[in-house]
Amino acid sequence: MAAKRKLAENPNSELIDFLHELADYEKNVSRMIHKYNAYRKAASSIAKIDHKIQSITDIKGLEGIGKKIAAKIEQYLSTGKIKKLETNRGDETGAAINQMTRVMGIGPTHANKLVHQEKITSIDELRSHPKRDQLLNKTQQLGLKYLEEFEQKIPRDEIKQMETILLREITAMDNLLRAEIVGSYRRGATASSDIDVLVTHPAVAKLPSLLHKIVETLTKQFHFITDTISIGDSKFMGVCQIDTSKLHRRIDIRVFPSEQYYCALLYFTGNDQLNRHMRIVAQEQGYKLNEYSIQKVGSTGTLSKPLPVTSERDIFDYLQMDYKEPHERNM
DNA sequence: CATTAGCA
DNA sequence: GCTAATGA
């Protein structure tokens, strides 16, 4: 393995982290989504500059830096601190709310409710609360149960083992079924945060219960799937475990008709930046690309039928881009 | 931006 | 039918 240099970190990462922290507070605690967005865009715009910011003039006029954020950056530059951030940190109900949102299924709304009306101030209190089961829906209960496990990254080798089981069992059910694990795993990542599986079948339209059957066998016969968070005709979200010596992991399975499969495969493999990039080149070349299809855009704005796609390569070809192997898609 | 759960 | 939450 070629030596992996520690990827150079952003010279202003501390400031960026501070901005993100400010942003999260606005979103989760105050319920100020616009302030949240303001901090995020400010952070992303400073993330683009590649030298250490020394003076406020370095960023004056930068996109997304208005008067108030500029003032905070100024404080940071001169004192290394941001008053607002400090007081946010000192707010313990704010901290409690942020803790609650670590639980899958608990968003800002529910977190605020738990803290304000139930006076719950920590995960431990939530766990031991007498009315815990009434305070949380099924998803949230699973989120609480597996909180620590879900915060753990999944080593590639573990996913690899899951892959062999998954593919073997799925094709055993029906050999026309095709499945693969996408996301960062497919791009070669050494660890991922969850398992994302794409499934297709030539007659998927005829088999509305396909997903349910897959989930049922993976649950009952193999005990690979341990819990269901949600399931519909096209998307399953749940929990799996390769064997009891391993942690519980989040898994998503989605089913696509075969004519959409490769666009979905491309999209769910990512990464996000490549997706955006490809969407814009598509646009420039008179196409519209999304997770389902690629279509020609008429000058009047009319869309053609979805173009035939039988591989990811076809999509790159339409766009006159050089094909990128999955591991080359980390932009 | 679309899919699901859950509630009133 | 609406609202919250996930994800990507």
Side-chain angles (χ1 to χ4, degrees):
Chain A
M1 231 188 300
K4 284 170 190 158
R5 311 113 292 180
K6 260 311 187 192
L7 53 154
E9 227 194 34
N10 188 297
N12 301 299
S13 60
E14 185 181 53
L15 174 56
I16 294 172
D17 288 346
F18 283 1
L19 260 12
H20 283 157
E21 196 175 335
L22 257 355
D24 288 342
Y25 188 90
E26 295 301 339
K27 174 169 106 179
N28 297 150
V29 182
S30 323
R31 307 286 303 288
M32 302 290 211
I33 194 66
H34 298 300
K35 292 187 180 185
Y36 164 80
N37 286 321
Y39 283 120
R40 299 291 303 196
K41 56 75 179 109
S44 89
S45 108
I46 98 135
K48 289 173 187 161
I49 95 169
D50 52 9
H51 62 277
K52 182 125 189 148
I53 296 173
Q54 263 149 344
S55 145
I56 187 71
T57 69
D58 289 9
I59 55 162
K60 207 47 181 170
L62 224 54
E63 303 316 324
I65 315 285
K67 174 174 178 173
K68 298 209 285 260
I69 292 184
K72 292 187 175 65
I73 295 177
E74 229 174 313
Q75 292 181 32
Y76 169 74
L77 260 18
S78 42
T79 71
K81 299 276 176 181
I82 299 175
K83 172 72 188 282
K84 179 71 177 300
L85 184 54
E86 303 253 279
T87 85
N88 286 172
R89 285 173 173 173
D91 168 16
E92 56 194 12
T93 83
I97 290 168
N98 282 130
Q99 283 307 301
M100 298 297 120
T101 62
R102 286 169 58 203
V103 176
M104 140 177 309
I106 300 184
T109 301
H110 209 77
N112 271 272
K113 176 177 162 191
L114 258 18
V115 172
H116 292 303
Q117 352 196 284
E118 305 297 332
K119 306 294 184 233
I120 296 172
T121 65
S122 70
I123 295 291
D124 286 343
E125 283 184 26
L126 181 56
R127 280 204 163 106
S128 55
H129 193 105
K131 296 195 206 109
R132 178 187 62 193
D133 294 353
Q134 293 81 63
L135 262 23
L136 303 178
N137 68 222
K138 189 179 157 195
T139 301
Q140 295 163 162
Q141 288 174 235
L142 287 172
L144 184 58
K145 177 175 179 187
Y146 298 127
L147 177 60
E148 291 79 10
E149 292 177 74
F150 288 169
E151 287 181 340
Q152 237 51 53
K153 288 284 201 176
I154 314 169
R156 163 165 269 269
D157 309 277
E158 186 179 328
I159 302 185
K160 202 176 284 173
Q161 293 175 224
M162 293 180 173
E163 182 176 38
T164 84
I165 299 182
L166 224 38
L167 300 194
R168 153 168 120 256
E169 298 313 330
I170 287 181
T171 71
M173 296 179 57
D174 180 333
N175 70 138
L176 294 181
L177 275 173
R178 202 162 144 36
E180 42 205 308
I181 298 183
V182 293
S184 60
Y185 171 76
R186 184 159 183 257
R187 298 196 308 270
T190 63
S192 307
S193 47
D194 59 11
I195 325 287
D196 204 354
V197 186
L198 252 45
V199 172
T200 190
H201 187 287
V204 40
K206 314 277 79 181
L207 314 174
S209 55
L210 178 62
L211 186 52
H212 297 78
K213 285 178 182 157
I214 291 173
V215 169
E216 178 173 314
T217 96
L218 259 20
T219 303
K220 298 190 175 166
Q221 333 217 195
F222 301 99
H223 307 291
F224 175 70
I225 290 175
T226 60
D227 304 88
T228 292
I229 293 167
S230 69
I231 182 171
D233 290 343
S234 63
K235 186 169 88 173
F236 163 83
M237 300 200 324
V239 183
C240 68
Q241 182 184 44
I242 188 159
D243 67 61
T244 55
S245 73
K246 301 290 198 313
L247 300 182
H248 290 84
R249 310 298 195 177
R250 275 283 294 106
I251 182 171
D252 292 349
I253 303 177
R254 43 232 315 165
V255 178
F256 285 91
S258 36
E259 61 275 17
Q260 301 184 340
Y261 188 67
Y262 295 100
C263 285
L265 185 58
L266 177 68
Y267 177 78
F268 287 105
T269 297
N271 66 6
D272 292 1
Q273 293 199 26
L274 177 67
N275 288 158
R276 289 177 218 167
H277 177 70
M278 290 185 75
R279 287 188 182 201
I280 96 142
V281 329
Q283 194 165 112
E284 291 168 351
Q285 317 241 179
Y287 293 101
K288 171 176 171 147
L289 173 66
N290 60 206
E291 47 277 57
Y292 310 111
S293 67
I294 178 168
Q295 314 175 265
K296 187 106 205 172
V297 182
S299 59
T300 72
T302 60
L303 299 178
S304 73
K305 333 248 66 179
L307 274 19
V309 177
T310 62
S311 66
E312 289 183 306
R313 203 174 271 279
D314 285 348
I315 303 165
F316 286 93
D317 287 347
Y318 282 122
L319 302 182
Q320 301 178 280
M321 292 176 65
D322 293 326
Y323 179 71
K324 287 180 190 293
E325 294 292 337
H327 72 272
E328 300 170 324
R329 302 188 195 164
N330 296 295
M331 298 189 63

